[in-house]
Amino acid sequence: MPPSPEPAPEPAQACWDIRDASLELGGVDGDATLLADLAVPPHRPVARLWQAAPCLVVPHRLSDITLFDHAAARSARRGWPVVTRASGGHAVPLQPGILNLTLAYPAASGWSIDAAYRHLVGILVAALRATGIDARIGEVPGAFCPGRFDLSLGGRKIAGTAQRRRPLPGGGSLVLAHACLLAEGDLAPALAALAAFERELALPALWQPARAATLAGALPPAGLLPPLAAAIRSVLRRTRPPGYMPADHCLRELAHHGRAS
Amino acid sequence: MIPVVIPPDLWEGEAEGAVSAWLFADGDAVRQGDLIAEVMVEKTSYDVTAPASGRLEIRIPAERPFKRGTVIAAIA
């Protein structure tokens, strides 16, 4: 009986290009070129795990505010330089211990903003469950930069999300979906820097620091970042990017991995 | 007249979007494919490109909320 032929190699688009696995302080700049890179063949989806040195990251529309340059300069003098980003939402602090996951991939028409958020947080929920943490999806009233697809633990925000979308000429879009997970470290100075910056922009005070927490603040073990990053990579390796699968199949696959973890 | 419409399946439910910035002024000439606006909805920034070349007619000003499927501009 002749041997079975070797299976055809999977196309590059079928799996994530996982970058920055060492969790070095890659910074916000690394996300800036992802969409442009994705527009060029082979269009391989990228999953980037990264941290940043202390900074405040703001949607670039805030830079149109008259007081922005003055407030940004004062924030930089306090040790919290201000960086603009392309995705939506509000200003957020970043620092070592806040683990960022950025997914960049092409998606077909019908892959809605909500579907992309469910996919993004599905990866995090599955990874957190694998480390024994059962996070809830939903807005946390009173937390900074609130969103319907935040993650919380014990009623306090532990992760936030945002997206950027660029339509493709033939239909569909390039998606950049970002989540920042408050894993460990002292949030108080970061939130104080954020509050001071927003006061200097004359923005209303709409959130309370106590509505957010790190995972390390809720759980005893220290050194959460390495096992969390490993769990996220494990989920990414076991699932396919949305652009390679029908939308509903992708979400079912994530739900299965979440239950199986 | 070519309408500039945010894809009705871009987001779900009754959330409203808003143009955070028009990158051309009303009446400006635009080319097909030009990035003409940025829309913000559900903490997502969405690039709006011109579907055709012509003169831009803005129907929804920046910062005014609109529901999905709304014609936000037209190309004359």
Side-chain angles (χ1 to χ4, degrees), chain A residues 60 112-113 117 148 165, chain B residues 10 12 38 42-43 45 47:
Chain A
H60 66 79
S112 68
I113 288 171
Y117 277 132
R148 287 196 298 122
R165 292 234 172 177
Chain B
L10 179 61
E12 302 166 14
E38 180 182 277
E42 296 275 31
K43 294 175 64 180
S45 169
D47 292 345

Side-chain angles (χ1 to χ4, degrees), chain B residues 27-41:
Chain B
D28 279 353
V30 298
R31 293 174 302 179
Q32 183 178 5
D34 278 348
L35 179 61
I36 60 174
E38 180 182 277
V39 164
M40 201 67 65
V41 58

